[in-house]
Amino acid sequence: MKPSNMDLTVPVLVIDDSRTMTTIISKLARDVGFANVDHVNDGVSALERLREKKFGLVLSDWDMRPMNGTELIQQIRKEPLNSSTLVIMITAKGDADLSWLSGADGYLSKPFKAHELRDKIEEVMSQKVEDAPQSE
């Protein structure tokens, strides 16, 4: 049963400079239930893809070259089409403060399993719903 606050219909973009990691993370996103999963291997390609299509969720590595996750999020937030896209940073570093300072909606530490990815996505989607302006 799909959790009520997790929209599995949103397009997902996976970004990691390791092709192996993009394959693994994309598979985990599909295992969670997302059908529309795309991936790229660097921040520049990610920005190009984000200009072409509206994504509901970005799963991005933090430690990439030539553009790191922090720089990528700064650019994503400037893009009108995807400025409100949920972004989860994925890092091998244990310091969560890095992702929060970068403007991410959440973070995951490598390695992680599908249920951990699902829980994090559900958490950030729930937070987005709670933060949405309430209509009168």
Side-chain angles (χ1 to χ4, degrees), residues 17-126:
D17 54 357
S18 162
R19 292 186 189 280
T20 301
M21 286 308 301
T22 56
T23 300
I24 291 169
I25 296 168
S26 295
K27 181 187 180 317
L28 289 173
R30 286 186 196 95
D31 289 349
V32 166
F34 291 97
N36 189 351
V37 180
D38 200 356
H39 65 272
V40 294
N41 294 106
D42 63 76
V44 174
S45 298
L47 289 175
E48 290 171 6
R49 192 70 50 90
L50 286 159
R51 288 178 181 130
E52 297 166 359
K53 179 178 178 178
K54 170 119 178 88
F55 286 89
L57 177 64
V58 168
L59 305 172
S60 177
D61 187 27
W62 182 78
D63 189 16
M64 298 184 294
R65 303 277 181 271
M67 178 186 297
N68 69 31
T70 302
E71 295 162 334
L72 177 61
I73 285 184
Q74 290 170 350
Q75 293 302 312
I76 290 172
R77 297 300 185 220
K78 291 178 184 176
E79 295 291 328
L81 185 61
N82 287 287
S83 61
S84 63
T85 298
L86 293 173
V87 178
I88 296 176
M89 276 287 132
I90 298 171
T91 178
K93 301 180 186 320
D95 187 356
D97 291 339
L98 296 174
S99 59
W100 293 116
L101 291 173
S102 71
D105 296 291
Y107 77 96
L108 271 172
S109 294
K110 294 177 190 174
F112 55 89
K113 297 185 181 339
H115 73 275
E116 294 167 308
L117 177 61
R118 181 196 63 234
D119 292 348
K120 181 54 66 174
I121 293 169
E122 186 174 344
E123 176 186 313
V124 298
M125 285 186 172
S126 293

